[in-house]
Amino acid sequence: RACTSNQIATMAAKVLIVLTSNDAMGSTDKKTGLWLDEFAAPFYRMKDAGFECVLANPKGGATPIDASSLAEAFVTEETKRYDADEETKKALANCVPLSKVDISTFDALFIPGGHGPYWDLVEDKTSIEFIEKVFAAGKPVGAVCHGPTAFKNCKNPAGEPMLKGLAVTGFTNTEEAAVGLTEVVPFLLEDQLKAMGADFKRKDDWNSCVIKKGNLITGQNPQSAPEIGDKFVLMVKKSKGLEAADVPDDA
């Protein structure tokens, strides 16, 4: 029997996209924020799949965009789409405060990168709580590039580091060195993921690398944003019973 439009709407997945409120690299005069395509590439894949995406950050209001990510070298089809998308621009400028979110109503959680999360999501208690709850419930959790910094203080139900024993990826030490920020960031993400007991995977710098293990999926760098977006959508559809095929584990 065919589903009614209301039934289809009820089945549509609801994803919390956790963003940074921070625009400064610690005490330096360097500016940072969200790396635009790490948001845009996964977001538009979710939107085109019919997902309801809620944009939230610690403070509410605007999520700052790293000006470096707007340079011509980083323009993509998705960033062009964002530039012409007044509705999404308005949403990104008016994010919901994380404290106002009822995480129990969400089917999945995704964290884009940019260096901004180093100085807020890493220590934000609400972000940590939400990541832990979604992960423990077996719902899809995704993060790309510097997004996995937000996992630093997250625990699994046994009270151990959430990533212990899991295959993951994220921005590498050599990529951080290449952008000249090794001495600026509070910690190197690759080192931190290894310290948590994760099985760190990578490809050569600036090549797409996406690693999926169970309900966790991570991407190495900005180049990984389209691939993680595609796979995250499939994971959410499978989790919601909207898709028969699952994304195979990488390790």
Side-chain angles (χ1 to χ4, degrees):
R1 191 177 57 162
C3 292
T4 66
S5 58
N6 283 341
Q7 286 173 318
I8 292 171
T10 301
M11 290 192 301
K14 188 176 179 182
V15 179
L16 182 67
I17 300 182
V18 179
L19 300 155
T20 184
S21 292
N22 174 57
D23 71 349
M25 288 197 184
S27 58
T28 73
D29 59 1
K30 297 178 183 294
K31 290 296 184 182
T32 186
L34 167 71
W35 195 267
L36 183 57
D37 195 44
E38 293 170 18
F39 163 75
F43 171 78
Y44 284 117
R45 283 161 171 78
M46 294 182 222
K47 186 175 181 181
D48 292 347
F51 296 178
E52 177 188 351
C53 297
V54 174
L55 311 187
N57 64 25
K59 294 181 179 179
T63 281
I65 297 172
D66 189 322
S68 298
S69 71
L70 306 179
E72 190 173 344
F74 304 113
V75 171
T76 65
E77 290 305 311
E78 290 84 7
T79 62
K80 289 179 184 176
R81 183 172 172 183
Y82 173 82
D83 286 342
D85 183 353
E86 295 303 322
E87 181 184 0
T88 300
K89 284 182 180 178
K90 185 176 180 181
L92 200 61
N94 295 276
C95 292
V96 179
L98 283 170
S99 61
K100 301 292 185 184
V101 171
D102 179 0
I103 194 61
S104 68
T105 66
F106 287 84
D107 301 299
L109 181 150
F110 189 86
I111 310 167
H115 285 81
Y118 264 121
W119 289 275
D120 63 356
L121 296 184
V122 169
E123 303 291 343
D124 188 86
K125 288 181 169 54
T126 308
S127 174
I128 293 166
E129 176 193 345
F130 288 177
I131 293 165
E132 290 177 343
K133 283 185 174 179
V134 175
F135 179 76
K139 298 174 181 179
V141 174
V144 63
C145 199
H146 287 93
T149 57
F151 300 148
K152 180 177 185 288
N153 293 303
C154 295
K155 306 293 185 185
N156 63 25
E160 301 170 316
M162 190 183 86
L163 302 183
K164 184 178 180 181
L166 299 181
V168 300
T169 190
F171 207 60
T172 64
N173 291 355
T174 50
E175 286 168 325
E176 202 69 78
V179 298
L181 294 172
T182 300
E183 304 302 324
V184 174
V185 295
F187 55 87
L188 290 170
L189 179 57
E190 177 181 340
D191 289 351
Q192 178 59 41
L193 296 175
K194 290 175 178 176
M196 294 175 73
D199 178 13
F200 187 82
K201 308 286 188 180
R202 60 164 297 168
K203 290 186 179 175
D204 289 343
D205 291 357
W206 319 121
N207 282 269
S208 180
C209 176
V210 174
I211 302 296
K212 187 253 186 189
K213 180 66 174 178
N215 60 319
L216 178 73
I217 189 165
T218 48
Q220 178 176 322
N221 47 30
Q223 290 74 17
S224 307
E227 183 183 350
I228 196 173
D230 288 335
K231 290 181 176 178
F232 187 75
V233 165
L234 291 175
M235 286 173 66
V236 176
K237 285 183 175 181
K238 171 67 175 177
S239 179
K240 284 282 287 180
L242 304 174
E243 182 78 37
D246 199 3
V247 179
D249 280 359
D250 289 289

